[in-house]
Amino acid sequence: MPKKINTDPDFFGFAELLSDSERAELAEIRDYLQREIAPLANPAWDKAEFPFEAIEKFAKLGLAGYQYPEHGDGVERSSLFPGFLSIELNRIDPSLAVFSGVHTGLAMGSIQGGGDQEQRDRWMPDMVAMRKIGAFALTEPEGGSDVAGGMRTTARREGDEWVLNGAKRWIGNGTFADIIVVWARDEADGQVKGFVVGKDTPGVTATKIEGKIALRTVQNADIVFADARVPESDRLQNINSFRDTAKVLARTRGGVAWQALGLAMRAYELAREYAVSREQFGKPIGGFQMIQDLLVKMLGNITAMFGMVVRLNQLTEQGKAGAEQAALAKAFTTTRMREVVGWARELFGGNGIVLDYEVAKFFADAEAVYSFEGSREMNTLIVGKSITGLSAFA
């Protein structure tokens, strides 16, 4: 009797760390995403348009409330659950996963962590219900890796208002978000402050970035602030310096590691399925040694990535994870992801460059995930400083 084939990219069974109820819930979510979201994904990616009907579908799923039970369904889930949820989203479509991550992780995370209780009560319920969509405006046209010290967007206080001037770039959801969390340098003390800015605020102009080859569904924008006025009540009251901003980024950097894992898992699944169905020289190509070598290298990377993100989660829960652990996880997993999608595309041959076979989308999207939330080089220097005590930053 032939041995059962193991098709699961979670080869070491990390999902067994979840409770039975959480695994059952993830199975229901996977089924819902496959049924309701997957049909929207490839056409939207091909046209570089956002499928706005997805917002209502995500809202029905309760997607934005899983990390914030006090504003959502009130159900306390394990700290591992959001990571496995990210895997499911990215296996369906990395672009729509980024839409969700910007809204729930960056925008909502900034308000939850940086706002006072009144601000959380004012904004979070509408964001959990997805009646209001958030964006996160940190990166600037001339500042990516050096934005902490080189931020050019300014905030000047005038009475009970702040006047914002400057520009932001690569702002996910930026063309349609209802509220934008904007980071600007206070002219008075030189410290970075956070502001929640409505999309219809006079002096705020958002323009879609065209011609992307990755995460094409994500509506990234250039946003200009020209004497945009924001009331003091909309300044995030618990953000007083870039160190406070960095706390948000440390959490989301770990989230990108889970995203990279989900993306790599789907590329592997597509490659394995193709290898056992595509025939050349009279048999499935999965029966050739070099094809099996590619598949096993992919699976090895995925298993190593899994181990790192699960351990990072455990350290974070214990209060033992620092910026250096998050930085290593982001740098390592996205590098391994890049290898996996490259091998997957290679396995498909010519079919790997057309959207019909889907792997091309994951191959392209991986380039964006590799770059954002801190480049490999910048995250490497964070870890390098931690292990040598010497700063190599220019």
Side-chain angles (χ1 to χ4, degrees):
M1 188 172 179
K3 189 175 180 180
K4 182 180 178 182
I5 298 172
N6 189 343
T7 63
D8 191 349
D10 181 8
F11 202 67
F12 278 30
F14 286 99
E16 293 175 14
L17 296 171
L18 298 170
S19 67
D20 291 344
S21 62
E22 287 175 331
R23 289 199 299 275
E25 186 174 14
L26 281 171
E28 292 177 3
I29 289 170
R30 184 182 307 124
D31 180 69
Y32 180 89
L33 292 173
Q34 190 65 49
R35 186 175 66 251
E36 300 291 337
I37 300 298
L40 306 175
N42 285 1
W45 193 93
D46 190 34
K47 297 175 183 176
E49 296 176 353
F50 187 83
F52 286 98
E53 60 268 40
I55 296 177
E56 183 179 350
K57 294 178 184 296
F58 279 145
K60 184 177 179 181
L61 184 61
L63 188 67
Y66 285 116
Q67 296 182 57
Y68 311 100
E70 66 272 38
H71 303 290
D73 60 10
V75 177
E76 290 284 350
R77 298 171 178 85
S78 71
S79 61
L80 273 175
F81 188 85
F84 279 87
L85 177 60
S86 176
I87 286 175
E88 297 303 334
L89 287 167
N90 281 281
R91 284 163 87 172
I92 291 296
D93 185 65
S95 289
L96 290 173
V98 167
F99 154 75
S100 174
V102 169
H103 175 68
T104 62
L106 289 169
M108 292 177 67
S110 297
I111 293 170
Q112 181 73 4
D116 61 20
Q117 190 61 51
E118 184 278 329
Q119 291 174 323
R120 291 193 289 270
D121 291 342
R122 178 159 35 119
W123 286 309
M124 291 293 282
D126 278 343
M127 297 182 81
V128 164
M130 289 189 155
R131 290 186 292 267
K132 291 189 181 297
I133 300 300
F136 179 91
L138 176 64
T139 304
E140 299 185 343
E142 303 302 324
S145 297
D146 71 341
V147 73
M151 187 175 293
R152 292 171 171 82
T153 301
T154 61
R156 182 180 71 255
R157 185 159 185 175
E158 293 185 357
D160 290 332
E161 291 185 320
W162 292 82
V163 182
L164 304 185
N165 282 285
K168 300 292 183 178
R169 183 164 172 80
W170 295 115
I171 310 309
N173 305 346
T175 61
F176 62 85
D178 300 287
I179 57 178
I180 310 165
V181 177
V182 181
W183 306 94
R185 190 175 302 283
D186 185 348
E187 291 184 358
D189 63 11
Q191 297 297 325
V192 171
K193 307 286 171 64
F195 303 87
V196 177
V197 181
K199 67 177 179 180
D200 296 324
T201 301
V204 178
T205 305
T207 305
K208 179 184 174 182
I209 296 174
E210 302 282 3
K212 295 190 303 171
I213 67 163
L215 299 178
R216 287 169 53 80
T217 307
V218 179
Q219 302 299 289
N220 294 98
D222 285 307
I223 304 181
V224 175
F225 302 91
D227 290 332
R229 292 184 172 270
V230 181
E232 162 65 11
S233 60
D234 289 356
R235 179 181 66 82
L236 293 175
Q237 298 297 303
N238 293 324
I239 300 292
N240 298 301
S241 71
F242 192 80
R243 285 180 180 158
D244 296 321
T245 314
K247 294 175 185 177
V248 177
L249 295 175
R251 290 192 297 270
T252 56
R253 191 165 286 151
V256 173
W258 283 96
Q259 180 179 13
L261 174 57
L263 199 154
M265 288 172 71
R266 183 55 182 158
Y268 166 80
E269 287 179 309
L270 291 167
R272 197 210 66 82
E273 291 165 6
Y274 187 77
V276 298
S277 62
R278 171 73 167 176
E279 291 192 1
Q280 292 287 284
F281 303 102
K283 68 175 184 178
I285 63 172
F288 293 112
Q289 292 179 359
M290 294 181 72
I291 296 296
Q292 290 193 3
D293 179 61
L294 289 177
L295 290 171
V296 173
K297 287 192 295 186
M298 288 183 232
L299 187 60
N301 274 6
I302 289 166
T303 304
M305 293 162 69
F306 237 131
M308 181 170 281
V309 296
V310 167
R311 183 58 181 154
L312 175 63
N313 175 269
Q314 293 170 340
L315 291 173
T316 301
E317 192 172 32
Q318 296 166 9
K320 296 178 180 178
E324 59 271 30
Q325 278 82 19
L328 181 59
K330 197 279 176 178
F332 179 84
T333 58
T334 55
T335 302
R336 301 287 80 77
M337 166 203 67
R338 208 181 192 198
E339 291 176 345
V340 170
V341 299
W343 290 327
R345 198 228 58 79
E346 177 183 339
L347 188 149
F348 274 80
N351 287 334
I353 67 169
V354 291
L355 187 56
D356 292 354
Y357 289 86
E358 202 171 353
V359 73
K361 180 180 70 174
F362 288 86
F363 177 78
D365 287 349
E367 288 302 294
V369 177
Y370 178 73
S371 298
F372 61 43
E373 289 280 1
S375 66
R376 185 197 64 82
E377 291 79 9
M378 295 304 294
N379 281 302
T380 295
L381 296 183
I382 292 171
V383 179
K385 182 179 179 181
S386 173
I387 63 177
T388 65
L390 304 170
S391 176
F393 288 92

Tab-separated table of all heavy atoms in Angstrom, residues 162-214:
chain	number	residue	atom	x	y	z
A	162	TRP	N	-2.756	72.008	14.440
A	162	TRP	CA	-1.422	71.755	13.898
A	162	TRP	C	-1.484	71.953	12.385
A	162	TRP	O	-2.454	71.551	11.738
A	162	TRP	CB	-0.972	70.332	14.199
A	162	TRP	CG	-0.709	70.078	15.650
A	162	TRP	CD1	-1.631	69.789	16.613
A	162	TRP	CD2	0.563	70.083	16.296
A	162	TRP	NE1	-1.018	69.613	17.814
A	162	TRP	CE2	0.329	69.776	17.661
A	162	TRP	CE3	1.872	70.313	15.872
A	162	TRP	CZ2	1.355	69.704	18.594
A	162	TRP	CZ3	2.903	70.220	16.801
A	162	TRP	CH2	2.648	69.926	18.147
A	163	VAL	N	-0.451	72.557	11.827
A	163	VAL	CA	-0.366	72.801	10.391
A	163	VAL	C	0.697	71.866	9.814
A	163	VAL	O	1.874	71.940	10.185
A	163	VAL	CB	-0.026	74.269	10.084
A	163	VAL	CG1	-0.007	74.485	8.564
A	163	VAL	CG2	-1.029	75.202	10.749
A	164	LEU	N	0.261	70.972	8.909
A	164	LEU	CA	1.163	69.985	8.313
A	164	LEU	C	1.594	70.406	6.921
A	164	LEU	O	0.761	70.838	6.102
A	164	LEU	CB	0.482	68.617	8.233
A	164	LEU	CG	-0.079	68.013	9.527
A	164	LEU	CD1	-0.599	66.601	9.261
A	164	LEU	CD2	0.950	68.007	10.630
A	165	ASN	N	2.888	70.250	6.652
A	165	ASN	CA	3.438	70.513	5.321
A	165	ASN	C	4.471	69.441	4.982
A	165	ASN	O	5.281	69.056	5.838
A	165	ASN	CB	4.100	71.888	5.269
A	165	ASN	CG	3.093	73.008	5.147
A	165	ASN	OD1	2.511	73.237	4.085
A	165	ASN	ND2	2.872	73.714	6.256
A	166	GLY	N	4.408	68.960	3.741
A	166	GLY	CA	5.366	67.949	3.316
A	166	GLY	C	4.745	66.966	2.353
A	166	GLY	O	3.667	67.206	1.797
A	167	ALA	N	5.442	65.854	2.149
A	167	ALA	CA	4.973	64.849	1.191
A	167	ALA	C	5.323	63.451	1.689
A	167	ALA	O	6.355	63.251	2.326
A	167	ALA	CB	5.597	65.089	-0.181
A	168	LYS	N	4.448	62.502	1.385
A	168	LYS	CA	4.658	61.097	1.705
A	168	LYS	C	4.527	60.275	0.420
A	168	LYS	O	3.827	60.669	-0.510
A	168	LYS	CB	3.631	60.618	2.737
A	168	LYS	CG	3.675	61.374	4.059
A	168	LYS	CD	4.954	61.090	4.839
A	168	LYS	CE	4.945	61.782	6.187
A	168	LYS	NZ	6.163	61.466	6.968
A	169	ARG	N	5.198	59.123	0.397
A	169	ARG	CA	5.175	58.282	-0.809
A	169	ARG	C	4.999	56.818	-0.428
A	169	ARG	O	5.338	56.402	0.666
A	169	ARG	CB	6.474	58.479	-1.608
A	169	ARG	CG	6.512	57.703	-2.937
A	169	ARG	CD	7.616	58.218	-3.842
A	169	ARG	NE	7.790	57.387	-5.033
A	169	ARG	CZ	7.032	57.442	-6.126
A	169	ARG	NH1	6.032	58.297	-6.185
A	169	ARG	NH2	7.277	56.663	-7.171
A	170	TRP	N	4.448	56.059	-1.358
A	170	TRP	CA	4.212	54.617	-1.201
A	170	TRP	C	3.175	54.332	-0.114
A	170	TRP	O	3.258	53.310	0.573
A	170	TRP	CB	5.515	53.857	-0.895
A	170	TRP	CG	6.509	53.898	-1.990
A	170	TRP	CD1	7.733	54.470	-1.975
A	170	TRP	CD2	6.358	53.335	-3.309
A	170	TRP	NE1	8.361	54.312	-3.183
A	170	TRP	CE2	7.535	53.623	-4.021
A	170	TRP	CE3	5.328	52.626	-3.942
A	170	TRP	CZ2	7.721	53.221	-5.330
A	170	TRP	CZ3	5.515	52.241	-5.261
A	170	TRP	CH2	6.707	52.536	-5.939
A	171	ILE	N	2.188	55.190	-0.001
A	171	ILE	CA	1.219	55.041	1.065
A	171	ILE	C	0.112	54.088	0.628
A	171	ILE	O	-0.753	54.443	-0.183
A	171	ILE	CB	0.643	56.405	1.486
A	171	ILE	CG1	1.787	57.390	1.754
A	171	ILE	CG2	-0.257	56.240	2.709
A	171	ILE	CD1	2.861	56.874	2.695
A	172	GLY	N	0.144	52.851	1.167
A	172	GLY	CA	-0.869	51.854	0.843
A	172	GLY	C	-2.245	52.302	1.294
A	172	GLY	O	-2.404	52.882	2.364
A	173	ASN	N	-3.256	52.044	0.472
A	173	ASN	CA	-4.645	52.485	0.680
A	173	ASN	C	-4.782	54.002	0.567
A	173	ASN	O	-5.860	54.547	0.845
A	173	ASN	CB	-5.195	52.041	2.051
A	173	ASN	CG	-5.104	50.561	2.300
A	173	ASN	OD1	-4.863	49.781	1.382
A	173	ASN	ND2	-5.295	50.134	3.542
A	174	GLY	N	-3.711	54.671	0.173
A	174	GLY	CA	-3.679	56.130	0.245
A	174	GLY	C	-4.650	56.849	-0.666
A	174	GLY	O	-4.995	58.003	-0.408
A	175	THR	N	-5.115	56.188	-1.734
A	175	THR	CA	-6.017	56.876	-2.658
A	175	THR	C	-7.455	56.910	-2.157
A	175	THR	O	-8.249	57.732	-2.615
A	175	THR	CB	-6.015	56.188	-4.039
A	175	THR	OG1	-6.461	54.830	-3.891
A	175	THR	CG2	-4.622	56.213	-4.658
A	176	PHE	N	-7.788	56.011	-1.211
A	176	PHE	CA	-9.198	55.946	-0.807
A	176	PHE	C	-9.414	55.855	0.696
A	176	PHE	O	-10.561	55.839	1.159
A	176	PHE	CB	-9.898	54.755	-1.483
A	176	PHE	CG	-9.339	53.403	-1.122
A	176	PHE	CD1	-9.767	52.735	0.011
A	176	PHE	CD2	-8.382	52.787	-1.926
A	176	PHE	CE1	-9.264	51.486	0.346
A	176	PHE	CE2	-7.878	51.542	-1.611
A	176	PHE	CZ	-8.314	50.882	-0.468
A	177	ALA	N	-8.339	55.788	1.487
A	177	ALA	CA	-8.490	55.659	2.938
A	177	ALA	C	-9.274	56.837	3.515
A	177	ALA	O	-9.106	57.981	3.091
A	177	ALA	CB	-7.123	55.565	3.607
A	178	ASP	N	-10.112	56.534	4.486
A	178	ASP	CA	-10.899	57.579	5.148
A	178	ASP	C	-10.058	58.373	6.124
A	178	ASP	O	-10.243	59.588	6.268
A	178	ASP	CB	-12.076	56.950	5.898
A	178	ASP	CG	-12.995	56.183	4.973
A	178	ASP	OD1	-13.731	56.840	4.206
A	178	ASP	OD2	-12.968	54.936	5.002
A	179	ILE	N	-9.144	57.686	6.799
A	179	ILE	CA	-8.254	58.374	7.733
A	179	ILE	C	-6.820	57.917	7.501
A	179	ILE	O	-6.562	56.747	7.199
A	179	ILE	CB	-8.657	58.145	9.208
A	179	ILE	CG1	-8.703	56.666	9.549
A	179	ILE	CG2	-10.004	58.791	9.496
A	179	ILE	CD1	-9.038	56.405	10.998
A	180	ILE	N	-5.905	58.851	7.636
A	180	ILE	CA	-4.488	58.598	7.370
A	180	ILE	C	-3.703	58.934	8.628
A	180	ILE	O	-3.790	60.058	9.137
A	180	ILE	CB	-3.976	59.458	6.196
A	180	ILE	CG1	-4.893	59.330	4.981
A	180	ILE	CG2	-2.551	59.080	5.840
A	180	ILE	CD1	-4.658	60.401	3.928
A	181	VAL	N	-2.954	57.960	9.127
A	181	VAL	CA	-2.055	58.238	10.242
A	181	VAL	C	-0.774	58.823	9.659
A	181	VAL	O	-0.056	58.145	8.918
A	181	VAL	CB	-1.752	56.962	11.045
A	181	VAL	CG1	-0.754	57.263	12.163
A	181	VAL	CG2	-3.038	56.379	11.624
A	182	VAL	N	-0.525	60.090	9.972
A	182	VAL	CA	0.581	60.838	9.369
A	182	VAL	C	1.643	61.124	10.433
A	182	VAL	O	1.323	61.572	11.540
A	182	VAL	CB	0.082	62.164	8.771
A	182	VAL	CG1	1.239	62.929	8.126
A	182	VAL	CG2	-1.029	61.914	7.759
A	183	TRP	N	2.891	60.892	10.046
A	183	TRP	CA	4.011	61.156	10.943
A	183	TRP	C	4.742	62.400	10.454
A	183	TRP	O	5.091	62.502	9.274
A	183	TRP	CB	4.937	59.947	10.991
A	183	TRP	CG	4.183	58.705	11.351
A	183	TRP	CD1	3.633	57.798	10.487
A	183	TRP	CD2	3.826	58.265	12.649
A	183	TRP	NE1	2.976	56.815	11.176
A	183	TRP	CE2	3.077	57.074	12.513
A	183	TRP	CE3	4.074	58.756	13.938
A	183	TRP	CZ2	2.579	56.377	13.601
A	183	TRP	CZ3	3.590	58.055	15.022
A	183	TRP	CH2	2.848	56.886	14.858
A	184	ALA	N	4.951	63.337	11.357
A	184	ALA	CA	5.561	64.617	10.989
A	184	ALA	C	6.452	65.105	12.127
A	184	ALA	O	6.208	64.802	13.306
A	184	ALA	CB	4.486	65.653	10.678
A	185	ARG	N	7.456	65.896	11.772
A	185	ARG	CA	8.393	66.413	12.766
A	185	ARG	C	7.896	67.752	13.304
A	185	ARG	O	7.630	68.685	12.556
A	185	ARG	CB	9.791	66.580	12.144
A	185	ARG	CG	10.884	66.885	13.177
A	185	ARG	CD	12.268	66.916	12.537
A	185	ARG	NE	12.581	65.659	11.873
A	185	ARG	CZ	12.958	64.551	12.518
A	185	ARG	NH1	13.042	64.549	13.829
A	185	ARG	NH2	13.237	63.459	11.835
A	186	ASP	N	7.770	67.819	14.615
A	186	ASP	CA	7.329	69.033	15.298
A	186	ASP	C	8.407	70.106	15.139
A	186	ASP	O	9.565	69.902	15.537
A	186	ASP	CB	7.082	68.712	16.774
A	186	ASP	CG	6.500	69.871	17.558
A	186	ASP	OD1	6.477	71.008	17.042
A	186	ASP	OD2	6.076	69.636	18.709
A	187	GLU	N	8.042	71.239	14.552
A	187	GLU	CA	9.012	72.317	14.351
A	187	GLU	C	9.545	72.857	15.672
A	187	GLU	O	10.667	73.372	15.728
A	187	GLU	CB	8.375	73.449	13.542
A	187	GLU	CG	8.083	73.090	12.092
A	187	GLU	CD	7.533	74.278	11.307
A	187	GLU	OE1	7.353	75.358	11.910
A	187	GLU	OE2	7.288	74.114	10.088
A	188	ALA	N	8.771	72.719	16.735
A	188	ALA	CA	9.168	73.311	18.020
A	188	ALA	C	10.247	72.494	18.728
A	188	ALA	O	11.242	73.048	19.216
A	188	ALA	CB	7.947	73.465	18.921
A	189	ASP	N	10.076	71.194	18.802
A	189	ASP	CA	11.038	70.384	19.563
A	189	ASP	C	11.801	69.371	18.724
A	189	ASP	O	12.657	68.643	19.232
A	189	ASP	CB	10.337	69.678	20.729
A	189	ASP	CG	9.273	68.675	20.272
A	189	ASP	OD1	9.203	68.370	19.059
A	189	ASP	OD2	8.505	68.203	21.128
A	190	GLY	N	11.503	69.296	17.425
A	190	GLY	CA	12.221	68.396	16.536
A	190	GLY	C	11.821	66.940	16.652
A	190	GLY	O	12.391	66.082	15.973
A	191	GLN	N	10.819	66.635	17.496
A	191	GLN	CA	10.400	65.255	17.696
A	191	GLN	C	9.296	64.867	16.713
A	191	GLN	O	8.512	65.708	16.278
A	191	GLN	CB	9.898	65.053	19.126
A	191	GLN	CG	10.955	65.272	20.191
A	191	GLN	CD	12.106	64.278	20.094
A	191	GLN	OE1	11.912	63.115	19.746
A	191	GLN	NE2	13.313	64.748	20.392
A	192	VAL	N	9.255	63.567	16.379
A	192	VAL	CA	8.232	63.060	15.463
A	192	VAL	C	6.934	62.851	16.235
A	192	VAL	O	6.925	62.228	17.304
A	192	VAL	CB	8.690	61.752	14.798
A	192	VAL	CG1	7.548	61.110	14.008
A	192	VAL	CG2	9.888	62.013	13.886
A	193	LYS	N	5.839	63.349	15.697
A	193	LYS	CA	4.514	63.204	16.287
A	193	LYS	C	3.598	62.497	15.281
A	193	LYS	O	3.870	62.475	14.067
A	193	LYS	CB	3.926	64.579	16.636
A	193	LYS	CG	4.833	65.462	17.494
A	193	LYS	CD	4.881	65.001	18.924
A	193	LYS	CE	5.945	65.741	19.734
A	193	LYS	NZ	5.696	67.185	19.881
A	194	GLY	N	2.521	61.928	15.786
A	194	GLY	CA	1.555	61.236	14.936
A	194	GLY	C	0.227	61.967	14.909
A	194	GLY	O	-0.237	62.461	15.951
A	195	PHE	N	-0.399	62.006	13.737
A	195	PHE	CA	-1.661	62.719	13.554
A	195	PHE	C	-2.623	61.843	12.752
A	195	PHE	O	-2.213	61.135	11.824
A	195	PHE	CB	-1.445	64.039	12.806
A	195	PHE	CG	-0.458	64.958	13.473
A	195	PHE	CD1	0.909	64.844	13.217
A	195	PHE	CD2	-0.890	65.923	14.366
A	195	PHE	CE1	1.826	65.687	13.844
A	195	PHE	CE2	0.019	66.767	14.999
A	195	PHE	CZ	1.384	66.643	14.728
A	196	VAL	N	-3.896	61.909	13.090
A	196	VAL	CA	-4.927	61.215	12.320
A	196	VAL	C	-5.616	62.262	11.453
A	196	VAL	O	-6.248	63.189	11.961
A	196	VAL	CB	-5.934	60.512	13.243
A	196	VAL	CG1	-7.047	59.859	12.410
A	196	VAL	CG2	-5.221	59.466	14.096
A	197	VAL	N	-5.461	62.107	10.143
A	197	VAL	CA	-5.899	63.132	9.184
A	197	VAL	C	-7.001	62.554	8.298
A	197	VAL	O	-6.826	61.485	7.694
A	197	VAL	CB	-4.714	63.608	8.315
A	197	VAL	CG1	-5.175	64.698	7.338
A	197	VAL	CG2	-3.573	64.111	9.197
A	198	GLY	N	-8.122	63.245	8.206
A	198	GLY	CA	-9.205	62.822	7.336
A	198	GLY	C	-8.859	63.047	5.872
A	198	GLY	O	-8.158	63.999	5.523
A	199	LYS	N	-9.379	62.173	4.996
A	199	LYS	CA	-9.015	62.259	3.578
A	199	LYS	C	-9.522	63.540	2.929
A	199	LYS	O	-8.966	63.991	1.919
A	199	LYS	CB	-9.555	61.051	2.820
A	199	LYS	CG	-11.073	60.976	2.712
A	199	LYS	CD	-11.500	59.793	1.877
A	199	LYS	CE	-13.023	59.700	1.774
A	199	LYS	NZ	-13.468	58.558	0.955
A	200	ASP	N	-10.592	64.134	3.477
A	200	ASP	CA	-11.157	65.344	2.882
A	200	ASP	C	-10.618	66.624	3.515
A	200	ASP	O	-11.135	67.711	3.259
A	200	ASP	CB	-12.690	65.317	3.009
A	200	ASP	CG	-13.311	64.166	2.227
A	200	ASP	OD1	-12.788	63.849	1.144
A	200	ASP	OD2	-14.306	63.598	2.704
A	201	THR	N	-9.577	66.511	4.321
A	201	THR	CA	-8.976	67.691	4.943
A	201	THR	C	-8.417	68.616	3.871
A	201	THR	O	-7.644	68.171	3.012
A	201	THR	CB	-7.848	67.261	5.904
A	201	THR	OG1	-8.390	66.397	6.905
A	201	THR	CG2	-7.203	68.473	6.554
A	202	PRO	N	-8.786	69.897	3.878
A	202	PRO	CA	-8.213	70.838	2.906
A	202	PRO	C	-6.687	70.850	2.995
A	202	PRO	O	-6.115	70.816	4.087
A	202	PRO	CB	-8.809	72.188	3.338
A	202	PRO	CG	-10.088	71.832	4.026
A	202	PRO	CD	-9.805	70.543	4.744
A	203	GLY	N	-6.056	70.857	1.825
A	203	GLY	CA	-4.602	70.853	1.775
A	203	GLY	C	-3.987	69.468	1.665
A	203	GLY	O	-2.770	69.333	1.614
A	204	VAL	N	-4.831	68.416	1.606
A	204	VAL	CA	-4.339	67.048	1.451
A	204	VAL	C	-4.680	66.545	0.051
A	204	VAL	O	-5.849	66.522	-0.342
A	204	VAL	CB	-4.962	66.098	2.498
A	204	VAL	CG1	-4.472	64.665	2.278
A	204	VAL	CG2	-4.630	66.558	3.906
A	205	THR	N	-3.667	66.151	-0.714
A	205	THR	CA	-3.859	65.668	-2.081
A	205	THR	C	-3.176	64.319	-2.250
A	205	THR	O	-1.988	64.182	-1.964
A	205	THR	CB	-3.272	66.656	-3.110
A	205	THR	OG1	-3.844	67.944	-2.911
A	205	THR	CG2	-3.561	66.186	-4.523
A	206	ALA	N	-3.936	63.324	-2.687
A	206	ALA	CA	-3.399	61.977	-2.899
A	206	ALA	C	-3.447	61.631	-4.385
A	206	ALA	O	-4.470	61.830	-5.041
A	206	ALA	CB	-4.190	60.951	-2.100
A	207	THR	N	-2.345	61.087	-4.903
A	207	THR	CA	-2.245	60.709	-6.310
A	207	THR	C	-1.739	59.276	-6.413
A	207	THR	O	-0.712	58.931	-5.823
A	207	THR	CB	-1.272	61.641	-7.064
A	207	THR	OG1	-1.668	63.001	-6.881
A	207	THR	CG2	-1.262	61.311	-8.549
A	208	LYS	N	-2.446	58.436	-7.151
A	208	LYS	CA	-2.072	57.030	-7.289
A	208	LYS	C	-0.726	56.877	-7.994
A	208	LYS	O	-0.447	57.544	-8.993
A	208	LYS	CB	-3.153	56.283	-8.080
A	208	LYS	CG	-2.858	54.802	-8.302
A	208	LYS	CD	-3.933	54.147	-9.170
A	208	LYS	CE	-3.570	52.714	-9.505
A	208	LYS	NZ	-4.572	52.071	-10.393
A	209	ILE	N	0.102	55.973	-7.481
A	209	ILE	CA	1.368	55.620	-8.125
A	209	ILE	C	1.082	54.555	-9.183
A	209	ILE	O	0.542	53.494	-8.872
A	209	ILE	CB	2.380	55.108	-7.092
A	209	ILE	CG1	2.728	56.229	-6.098
A	209	ILE	CG2	3.646	54.585	-7.777
A	209	ILE	CD1	3.621	55.791	-4.957
A	210	GLU	N	1.430	54.843	-10.397
A	210	GLU	CA	1.146	53.950	-11.524
A	210	GLU	C	2.384	53.143	-11.909
A	210	GLU	O	3.502	53.453	-11.513
A	210	GLU	CB	0.675	54.761	-12.737
A	210	GLU	CG	-0.565	55.626	-12.486
A	210	GLU	CD	-1.869	54.835	-12.501
A	210	GLU	OE1	-1.812	53.590	-12.647
A	210	GLU	OE2	-2.936	55.454	-12.377
A	211	GLY	N	2.143	52.102	-12.709
A	211	GLY	CA	3.234	51.359	-13.335
A	211	GLY	C	3.951	50.376	-12.440
A	211	GLY	O	5.081	49.976	-12.745
A	212	LYS	N	3.324	49.926	-11.347
A	212	LYS	CA	3.984	48.974	-10.456
A	212	LYS	C	4.000	47.570	-11.071
A	212	LYS	O	3.070	47.181	-11.767
A	212	LYS	CB	3.255	48.912	-9.113
A	212	LYS	CG	3.301	50.194	-8.292
A	212	LYS	CD	2.761	49.942	-6.897
A	212	LYS	CE	1.349	49.403	-6.951
A	212	LYS	NZ	0.863	48.942	-5.631
A	213	ILE	N	5.032	46.809	-10.742
A	213	ILE	CA	5.098	45.411	-11.185
A	213	ILE	C	4.797	44.452	-10.037
A	213	ILE	O	4.733	43.240	-10.244
A	213	ILE	CB	6.464	45.065	-11.790
A	213	ILE	CG1	7.572	45.119	-10.722
A	213	ILE	CG2	6.803	45.978	-12.961
A	213	ILE	CD1	8.855	44.422	-11.124
A	214	ALA	N	4.629	44.970	-8.829
A	214	ALA	CA	4.372	44.125	-7.661
A	214	ALA	C	3.227	44.700	-6.843
A	214	ALA	O	3.019	45.927	-6.837
A	214	ALA	CB	5.627	44.014	-6.795
